[in-house]
């Protein structure tokens, strides 16, 4: 390879180990974020091979280049050089699951039609051998005309084989259409390209074959073609092309698929040997894990253990972070001169950030467990197990994965509903998905549980705190199911389409990938939440500190022999508690307090409810900022201690109680307290109607259930 730097794209089906190889090649030299304007993840890393700098892009996993979904479209456009946020790659690594080589090769043949240099990576070759599949990669390479490298991405020696293959590659692309379409299909392809694609579109040349085959299969102009001024002409040409195929005795819809698989079969027939194997470990595990009775119980048990562990394991790290921010506040208080800057740093910035960053360990443990469930292959089983339940309440089986994604964040979950073909099923899934307890709710749950739920043990291994934590997540699932059931009973629509899902084999997770995922999600939480919290904390500090309110001076008259004198009497200043009640933020809170009082909330919680609409986790930072300004104590203490010790100035009663804490958690479990979710629902439904309905019905439901929880709890 005669160059100083090249860009490489990794493409492949989901669950082929693409991310594992990406991490193995790039190590820590990678950046993970979202593509601008969308929630699809973007991974870019670098590495060095023989003084050649490689820029490696891990494109979204996809089963084909037909780009019916957003992630498929991004991968496809990046490969053809039509996506502004990615440059056309110099080399493409197509990652295949060796145990499903025929299906995986389908997309590989599509990539080979793009006039790009290609290396095919047969990953998980050890799994194929365990399943009795022996592959001669040399024969396949000869028939495909591109390098084919068997490997196990977890083995450093195999990763080095990939690096060597990259270093010696001549960057010459394979010839397109090596799968040799039959005569009618080839005639139809030439017809569409010559009479429509070339004269009427400005598509990159390398995309012509894929676009043509997609149009022939779909029998309609889609995407940007819908607004094409000559779309009538284009549709007529497509129909002529399909007529050519049908006149030759073919099926226009399936012609490409059948031709490609004929070629794939010819390439693998003599290169793969299938040996008879007995019942595999995956089969034995699945007899229990996917059982119609034991399966759901195992799923619920896993969730219970997971949330108990999150709460227990994170506590030492949370205490350490809490101590750090307390000491930081005390240091600034003692080292900086008293005044506005000191107050801003301690009561605004440090208090606001510390109130939320303390929950970083729980966030990271949550994603740690999610990464393990995905890496072992169990997450797909969870979707399979819950399919029957989904059907009974009126949701589609494909709703399971978006709903599970909602445990991390509602936004990618809503985006994932694009895989649901039925419009009614997709819309219903979107409308109930925000009930899933996302990671942004976790700080509020953790604060209330730690402060007000006893640590009593149940069955010796669980605590009331862990069970409450699990119960809140289960409560969200229950309410999502209840709402879906009620809506489905009242509404009619299209019949449900069948749910099909490939269950991957069980395997040990790649621990480096698990920890990468955990730390990256933690970093994203700190960066994204930190920006919002920093801004809101500064604004809150100003609104809670001003205007400065002073008691009016008192005067008395002294009638002495020297004459009448006006004497000014010294009056005590307002306490910080009274000062904050007279501030801008106090006036706003006291204005809304009568509305939320029946829920057990005071004006401070009301302010938190307002600010948390920017991001749910801001609720905790808001409370910490307000209580830090209000506190008369010289030493900074934890927010938990402040909540426990807070008393009503008029009644002397504690502001917070167990019913108050439960009421607040119930409200947060059900309310639509997320501006970003509202925005993504608007974009996905292309209307303000549905996000408006979502906000109204979820807020009403949250208020009603929170009212019941507080009033019933107070009576008990």
């Amino acid at each position: 390879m005669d160059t100083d730097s090249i860009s490489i794209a990794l493409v492949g089906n989901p669950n082929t180990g693409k991310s594992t190889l990406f991490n193995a090649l790039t190590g820590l030299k990678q950046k993970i974020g979202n593509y601008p304007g969308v929630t699809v993840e973007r991974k870019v890393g670098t590495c060095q091979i023989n003084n050649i700098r490689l820029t490696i892009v891990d494109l979204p996993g996809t089963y084909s280049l037909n780009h019916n979904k957003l992630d498929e479209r991004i991968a496809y456009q990046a490969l053809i050089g039509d996506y502004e946020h990615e440059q056309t790659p110099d080399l493409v690594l197509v990652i295949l699951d060796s145990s499903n080589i025929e299906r995986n090769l389908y997309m590989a043949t599509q990539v080979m039609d793009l006039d790009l240099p290609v290396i095919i990576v047969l990953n998980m070759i050890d799994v194929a051998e365990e399943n009795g599949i022996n592959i001669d990669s040399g024969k396949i390479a000869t028939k495909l005309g591109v390098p084919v490298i068997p490997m196990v991405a977890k083995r450093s020696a195999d990763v080095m084989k990939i690096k060597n293959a990259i270093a010696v590659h001549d960057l010459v692309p394979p010839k397109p259409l090596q799968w040799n379409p039959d005569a009618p299909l080839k005639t139809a392809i030439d017809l569409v390209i010559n009479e429509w694609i070339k004269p009427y579109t400005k598509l990159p040349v390398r995309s012509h074959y894929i676009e043509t085959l997609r149009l022939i299969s779909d029998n309609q102009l889609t995407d940007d073609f819908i607004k094409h001024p000559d779309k009538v002409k284009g549709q007529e040409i497509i129909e002529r092309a399909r007529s050519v195929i049908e006149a030759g005795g073919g099926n226009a819809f399936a012609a490409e698929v059948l031709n490609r698989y004929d070629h794939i079969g010819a390439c693998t027939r003599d290169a793969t040997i299938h040996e008879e194997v007995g019942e595999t470990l995956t089969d034995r595990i699945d007899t229990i894990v996917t059982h119609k009775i034991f399966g759901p119980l195992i799923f619920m048990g896993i969730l219970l253990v997971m949330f108990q562990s999150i709460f227990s394991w994170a506590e030492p790290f949370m205490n350490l972070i809490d101590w750090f921010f307390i000491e930081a506040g005390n240091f600034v208080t003692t080292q900086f001169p008293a005044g506005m800057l000191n107050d801003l740093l301690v009561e605004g910035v440090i208090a606001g950030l510390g109130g939320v960053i303390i929950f970083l360990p729980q966030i990271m443990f949550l994603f740690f467990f999610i990464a393990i469930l995905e890496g072992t292959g169990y997450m797909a089983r969870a979707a399979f197990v819950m399919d029957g339940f989904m059907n009974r309440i009126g949701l589609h089986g494909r709703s399971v994965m978006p709903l599970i994604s909602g445990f991390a964040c509602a936004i990618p979950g809503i985006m994932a509903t694009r895989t649901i073909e039925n419009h009614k099923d997709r819309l219903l899934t979107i409308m109930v998905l925000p009930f899933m307890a996302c990671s942004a709710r976790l700080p509020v749950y953790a604060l209330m549980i730690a402060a007000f739920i006893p640590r009593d043990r149940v069955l010796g291994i669980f605590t009331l705190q862990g069970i409450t934590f699990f119960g809140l997540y289960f409560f969200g699932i229950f309410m999502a199911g209840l709402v879906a059931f009620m809506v489905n009973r009242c509404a009619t629509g299209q019949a449900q389409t069948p749910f099909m899902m490939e269950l991957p084999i069980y395997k040990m997770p790649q621990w480096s990938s698990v920890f990468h995922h955990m730390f990256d999600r933690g970093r994203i939480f700190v960066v994204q939440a930190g920006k919002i919290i920093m801004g809101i904390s500064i604004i809150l500090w100003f609104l809670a500190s001003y205007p400065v309110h002073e008691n009016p001076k008192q005067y008395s008259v002294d009638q002495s022999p020297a004459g009448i004198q006006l004497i000014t009497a010294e009056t005590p200043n307002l306490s910080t508690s009274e000062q904050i009640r007279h501030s801008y933020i106090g006036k706003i809170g006291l204005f809304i307090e009568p509305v939320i009082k029946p829920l057990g909330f005071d004006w401070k919680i009301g302010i938190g409810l307002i600010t948390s609409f920017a991001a749910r986790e801001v609720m905790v930072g808001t409370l910490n900022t307000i209580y830090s300004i209000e506190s008369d104590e010289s030493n900074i203490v934890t927010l938990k201690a402040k909540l426990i010790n807070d008393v009503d100035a008029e009644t002397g009663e504690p502001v917070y109680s167990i019913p108050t804490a439960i009421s607040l958690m119930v409200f947060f479990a059900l309310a639509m307290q997320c501006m970003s979710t509202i925005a993504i629902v608007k974009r996905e439904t292309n209307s303000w109607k549905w996000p408006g309905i979502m906000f109204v019905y979820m807020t009403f439901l949250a208020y009603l259930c929170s009212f019941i929880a507080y009033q019933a709890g107070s009576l008990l």
Side-chain angles (χ1 to χ4, degrees):
M1 184 183 297
D2 187 18
T3 183
D4 294 330
S5 72
I6 64 170
S7 61
I8 298 177
L10 302 186
V11 300
N13 296 174
N15 300 314
T16 58
K18 186 163 56 69
S19 295
T20 303
L21 179 57
F22 173 77
N23 291 331
L25 290 172
T26 61
L28 298 176
K29 298 178 181 179
Q30 54 181 257
K31 294 181 180 180
I32 299 178
N34 286 343
Y35 283 99
V38 299
T39 57
V40 176
E41 193 171 69
R42 181 180 190 266
K43 295 181 180 180
V44 180
T46 60
C47 71
Q48 197 89 3
I49 302 177
N50 297 343
N51 296 322
I52 303 170
R53 186 177 186 274
L54 308 182
T55 300
I56 303 174
V57 181
D58 184 9
L59 294 177
T62 172
Y63 288 104
S64 75
L65 298 182
N66 294 336
H67 58 84
N68 294 320
K69 300 193 293 293
L70 178 63
D71 47 1
E72 290 181 350
R73 187 169 187 80
I74 289 175
Y76 169 68
Q77 289 184 325
L79 290 174
I80 66 174
D82 198 33
Y83 189 58
E84 60 180 332
H85 305 296
E86 297 288 8
Q87 67 179 89
T88 307
D90 299 307
L91 177 64
V92 180
L93 266 60
V94 186
I95 318 303
L96 277 59
D97 175 0
S98 299
S99 61
N100 288 296
I101 186 170
E102 288 84 2
R103 176 179 60 75
N104 281 233
L105 275 172
Y106 183 87
M107 193 181 74
T109 62
Q110 288 186 314
V111 175
M112 291 170 62
D113 287 341
L114 296 178
D115 195 33
L116 290 169
V118 172
I119 293 176
I120 291 179
V121 179
L122 295 180
N123 193 24
M124 297 189 282
I125 196 72
D126 55 335
V127 175
E129 292 171 354
E130 289 175 7
N131 292 337
I133 304 172
N134 296 303
I135 302 174
D136 188 334
S137 58
K139 289 183 178 179
I140 296 177
T142 300
K143 294 184 178 181
L144 290 177
V146 297
V148 177
I149 304 173
M151 73 168 301
V152 178
K154 294 183 290 185
R155 298 173 183 168
S156 56
D158 286 357
V159 174
M160 185 56 64
K161 285 165 49 179
I162 300 297
K163 291 182 177 181
N164 292 335
I166 294 171
V168 302
H169 200 285
D170 56 12
L171 298 184
V172 175
K175 183 181 177 182
L177 299 185
Q178 288 195 29
W179 47 282
N180 296 322
D182 58 32
L185 179 57
K186 184 63 170 66
T187 302
I189 292 171
D190 292 340
L191 173 64
V192 174
I193 289 178
N194 294 326
E195 297 193 23
W196 170 251
I197 298 291
K198 285 183 177 179
Y200 289 99
T201 75
K202 296 181 180 180
L203 292 170
V205 175
R206 61 167 40 93
S207 72
H208 286 184
Y209 289 121
I210 297 297
E211 283 292 338
T212 296
L213 290 163
R214 184 175 69 90
L215 292 175
I216 292 173
S217 176
D218 290 349
N219 191 27
Q220 59 180 336
L221 295 175
T222 57
D223 301 328
D224 296 338
F225 291 145
I226 294 175
K227 299 180 181 179
H228 199 287
D230 297 299
K231 65 179 181 180
V232 175
K233 174 73 172 177
Q235 187 64 47
E236 182 266 329
I237 293 171
I238 292 171
E239 291 173 358
R240 282 171 49 200
R242 288 173 64 90
S243 298
V244 170
I245 297 171
E246 291 166 0
N251 181 329
F253 175 78
E256 177 194 2
V257 175
L258 295 175
N259 275 253
R260 284 192 190 275
Y261 274 116
D262 283 344
H263 175 66
I264 291 169
C267 292
T268 60
R269 192 172 297 116
D270 298 331
T272 58
I273 300 174
H274 293 260
E275 299 176 354
E276 287 293 330
V277 294
E279 188 180 40
T280 64
L281 178 62
T282 293
D283 295 331
R284 291 194 294 272
I285 295 175
D286 276 345
T287 57
I288 301 174
V289 171
T290 61
H291 191 273
K292 63 180 181 180
I293 296 176
F294 297 126
L297 293 177
I298 291 172
F299 178 53
M300 300 307 292
I302 287 174
L303 291 181
L304 177 58
V305 172
M306 184 174 83
F307 292 121
Q308 173 65 53
S309 300
I310 289 171
F311 208 86
S312 301
W313 294 358
E315 186 173 11
F317 300 99
M318 294 173 68
N319 291 337
L320 183 62
I321 294 174
D322 205 9
W323 171 84
F324 172 79
F325 277 96
I326 288 175
E327 290 302 314
N330 288 328
F331 175 80
V332 173
T333 300
T334 56
Q335 298 299 318
F336 282 64
M340 182 183 296
L341 179 60
N342 189 310
D343 293 342
L344 174 60
L345 291 175
V346 176
E347 299 166 357
V349 177
I350 294 177
L353 283 176
V356 175
I357 301 301
I358 186 177
F359 301 103
L360 176 62
Q362 291 183 327
I363 299 288
M364 294 178 68
F365 276 122
L366 173 64
F367 284 107
F368 171 76
F369 284 112
I370 289 176
I372 289 177
L373 294 179
E374 290 177 343
T376 57
Y378 178 77
M379 195 68 87
R381 270 75 182 181
F384 176 80
V385 164
M386 297 301 292
D387 178 47
F389 171 74
M390 290 289 147
N391 285 323
R392 282 192 290 274
I393 64 175
L395 288 172
H396 192 272
R398 288 189 179 274
S399 301
V400 176
M401 294 310 293
L403 290 173
I404 291 177
S405 299
F407 283 130
C409 179
I411 292 175
I414 290 170
M415 295 290 294
T417 61
R418 292 184 173 192
T419 61
I420 304 174
E421 299 173 0
N422 186 306
H423 176 70
K424 170 180 168 284
D425 293 335
R426 178 171 184 251
L427 185 60
L428 182 55
T429 305
I430 289 174
M431 296 300 286
V432 302
L433 196 145
F435 285 124
M436 299 297 103
C438 67
S439 57
R441 289 182 173 107
L442 193 150
V444 179
Y445 292 167
L447 176 63
M448 293 295 115
I449 291 172
F452 301 103
I453 303 300
R455 302 185 66 173
D456 299 349
R457 289 204 165 270
V458 178
L459 300 178
I461 56 174
F462 301 111
T463 65
L464 281 179
Q465 292 182 333
I467 292 174
T468 303
F469 200 27
F470 165 75
L472 288 165
Y473 279 77
F474 181 77
F475 178 61
I477 297 172
F478 173 79
M479 293 304 298
L482 179 62
V483 171
F485 177 76
M486 294 175 65
V487 171
N488 193 61
R489 291 293 297 269
C490 301
T492 58
Q494 300 164 281
Q496 286 189 342
T497 53
F499 173 50
M500 296 193 311
M501 169 178 279
E502 178 183 352
L503 297 180
I505 64 165
Y506 289 105
K507 57 185 178 182
M508 285 295 294
Q510 179 69 19
W511 293 108
S512 60
S513 298
V514 169
F515 287 110
H516 268 298
H517 182 76
M518 180 179 73
F519 285 108
D520 284 331
R521 294 299 175 181
R523 178 185 58 81
I524 290 170
F525 169 76
V526 171
V527 172
Q528 293 182 349
K531 291 177 182 177
I532 299 172
I533 293 163
M534 181 77 76
I536 291 180
S537 295
I538 293 173
I539 294 171
L540 278 174
W541 173 84
F542 174 81
L543 293 177
S545 301
Y546 295 94
V548 177
H549 190 83
E550 296 180 354
N551 280 336
K553 293 183 177 180
Q554 299 178 2
Y555 300 94
S556 63
V557 178
D558 181 17
Q559 296 182 351
S560 64
I564 299 175
Q565 294 182 344
L566 194 65
I567 300 175
T568 303
E570 293 294 330
T571 57
N573 292 327
L574 290 178
S575 67
T576 52
S577 178
E578 285 298 313
Q579 167 62 42
I580 198 171
R581 290 175 67 88
H582 288 84
S583 68
Y584 295 121
I585 202 72
K587 291 175 181 178
I588 296 172
L590 292 171
F591 177 76
I592 66 174
E593 189 175 48
V595 178
I596 59 177
K597 193 74 172 177
L599 310 183
F601 304 161
D602 69 346
W603 66 270
K604 300 167 195 169
I605 297 177
I607 297 302
L609 295 179
I610 294 173
T611 58
S612 65
F613 191 64
R616 288 185 174 102
E617 60 268 32
V618 173
M619 173 75 180
V620 177
T622 298
L623 290 176
N624 209 20
T625 299
I626 293 175
Y627 275 99
S628 294
I629 296 173
E630 187 182 50
S631 177
D632 287 318
E633 300 176 14
S634 57
N635 288 326
I636 297 172
V637 297
T638 65
L639 177 58
K640 182 174 75 172
K642 294 172 185 175
L643 298 183
I644 294 173
N645 298 326
D646 192 19
V647 295
D648 190 294
E650 297 179 0
T651 66
E653 296 292 325
V655 172
Y656 288 87
S657 61
I658 292 178
T660 303
I662 293 175
S663 174
L664 182 58
M665 290 187 288
V666 167
F667 188 91
F668 256 78
L670 301 180
M672 174 36 62
Q673 293 293 108
C674 182
M675 181 170 55
S676 300
T677 301
I678 293 288
I680 202 68
V681 171
K682 190 273 176 186
R683 192 176 74 178
E684 290 298 300
T685 61
N686 198 29
S687 168
W688 281 110
K689 171 186 174 183
W690 297 111
I693 292 174
M694 175 186 286
F695 179 79
V696 171
Y697 99 83
M698 291 186 71
T699 302
F700 171 77
L701 193 60
Y703 191 96
L704 176 63
C705 293
S706 185
F707 175 83
I708 294 172
Y710 178 71
Q711 297 298 333
S714 298
L715 289 175
L716 293 174

